[in-house]
């Protein structure tokens, strides 16, 4: 039989990927109408991390419609985030309030993270895979800053002193994990991914 090499996934540039749009591992499979094909897949991962395989086969027209709708909705979400960020900057300029400063930092880190996650940064940069993994790390500092923003905004220290001690310790852990995960990023990518995965779930629960 014959074989075809298809490059896909988040770590590939738009020029390398079989399907240019989108951040997921999409690839084209050619099957003639009213025919049966036996297809074997051999996967190779560029990074030291297990491959997650979720096969979903669609007709090309249906797939393109779904993909364009996802890009459109993600674009609206991105625009909304940047509007909130700009509004926060104007509020800080007018009020000079420390709460707004932490809000701006959180919104900026969060917006950059999602621009990178959904591959919108490819509009400005040809290859986002190199620094994209680093931007992925921004999620932990972003959530840590958000927790600190919520602590100040809700006046937790004044209104709920017992809870404030827990929140304060969680923020300290967030700073510590940010530093540790950044170190692992350069020495053990697999460990870095595991730290990011479990600590992000922990933060979402908090």
């Amino acid at each position: 039989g014959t074989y075809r090499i298809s490059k896909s996934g988040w770590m590939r540039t738009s020029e390398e990927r079989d399907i240019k749009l989108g951040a997921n591992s999409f690839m084209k499979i050619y099957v003639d109408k009213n025919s049966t094909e036996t297809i074997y897949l051999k996967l190779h991962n560029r990074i030291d991390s297990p491959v997650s395989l979720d096969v979903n086969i669609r007709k090309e027209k249906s797939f393109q419609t779904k993909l364009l709708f996802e890009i459109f909705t993600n674009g609206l979400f991105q625009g909304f985030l940047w509007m909130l960020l700009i509004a926060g900057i104007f509020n800080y300029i007018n009020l000079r309030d420390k709460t707004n400063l932490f809000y701006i930092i959180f919104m900026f880190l969060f917006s950059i993270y999602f621009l990178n996650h959904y591959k919108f940064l490819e509009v400005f940069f040809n290859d986002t895979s190199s620094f994209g993994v680093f931007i992925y790390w921004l999620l932990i500092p972003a959530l840590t800053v958000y927790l600190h923003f919520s602590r100040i905004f809700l006046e937790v220290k004044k209104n709920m002193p017992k809870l404030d001690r827990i929140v304060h310790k969680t923020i300290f852990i967030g700073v510590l994990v940010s530093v540790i995960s950044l170190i692992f990023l350069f020495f053990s990518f697999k460990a870095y991914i595991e730290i990011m995965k479990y600590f992000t779930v922990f933060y979402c629960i908090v």
Side-chain angles (χ1 to χ4, degrees):
T2 60
Y3 70 91
R4 184 173 68 91
I5 297 176
S6 178
K7 295 180 180 180
S8 182
W10 195 84
M11 293 290 290
R12 296 287 182 178
T13 66
S14 57
E15 284 77 11
E16 291 178 307
R17 293 198 299 269
D18 197 14
I19 296 176
K20 310 302 181 187
L21 298 175
N24 294 323
S25 299
F26 301 129
M27 62 182 68
K28 295 179 181 178
I29 296 177
Y30 301 95
V31 180
D32 294 331
K33 188 177 181 180
N34 299 324
S35 67
T36 302
E37 296 277 353
T38 301
I39 298 172
Y40 298 93
L41 293 177
K42 183 179 180 181
L43 305 177
H44 172 69
N45 199 6
R46 294 177 64 188
I47 57 177
D48 182 22
S49 181
V51 177
S52 177
L53 186 62
D54 182 16
V55 179
N56 192 344
I57 300 176
R58 289 176 175 268
K59 290 182 179 180
E60 186 172 3
K61 187 176 180 180
S62 169
F63 167 77
Q64 288 178 348
T65 302
K66 180 177 181 295
L67 181 60
L68 290 174
F69 178 75
E70 288 178 356
I71 292 172
F72 174 72
T73 52
N74 286 329
L76 288 178
F77 174 65
Q78 291 293 322
F80 180 67
L81 284 181
W82 284 95
M83 285 173 61
L84 291 176
L85 174 60
I86 293 169
I89 292 172
F90 279 110
N91 281 336
Y92 177 71
I93 292 172
N94 291 329
L95 303 174
R96 299 290 177 179
D97 181 26
K98 187 169 65 172
T99 307
N100 278 318
L101 179 60
F102 284 107
Y103 175 78
I104 291 167
I105 295 171
F106 162 70
M107 288 303 300
F108 177 74
L109 295 176
F110 203 57
S111 300
I112 292 295
Y113 169 81
F114 276 106
L115 280 177
N116 175 65
H117 181 73
Y118 291 110
K119 287 291 186 179
F120 285 102
L121 285 179
E122 285 186 337
V123 176
F124 309 101
F125 306 99
N126 178 42
D127 182 8
T128 59
S129 58
S130 344
F131 61 90
V133 178
F134 167 73
I135 294 177
Y136 180 56
W137 167 82
L138 291 178
L139 185 60
I140 290 183
L143 292 173
T144 304
V145 172
Y146 176 73
L147 194 58
H148 191 53
F149 157 75
S150 302
R151 177 175 175 252
I152 297 173
F153 181 74
L154 298 174
E155 297 183 334
V156 178
K157 186 176 182 178
K158 176 184 175 183
N159 299 325
M160 294 171 281
K162 290 184 179 179
L163 178 62
D164 181 67
R165 286 194 288 270
I166 298 174
V167 174
H168 192 266
K169 288 178 181 178
T170 306
I171 292 171
F172 174 77
I173 293 171
V175 173
L176 189 62
V177 172
S178 297
V179 175
I180 293 173
S181 58
L182 188 59
I183 294 170
F184 272 109
L185 171 60
F186 295 100
F187 295 101
S188 174
F189 190 80
K190 187 176 182 180
Y192 162 75
I193 290 294
E194 291 299 311
I195 292 172
M196 291 292 296
K197 182 171 65 177
Y198 289 112
F199 198 74
T200 303
V201 171
F202 166 73
Y203 250 144
C204 289
I205 293 172
V206 171

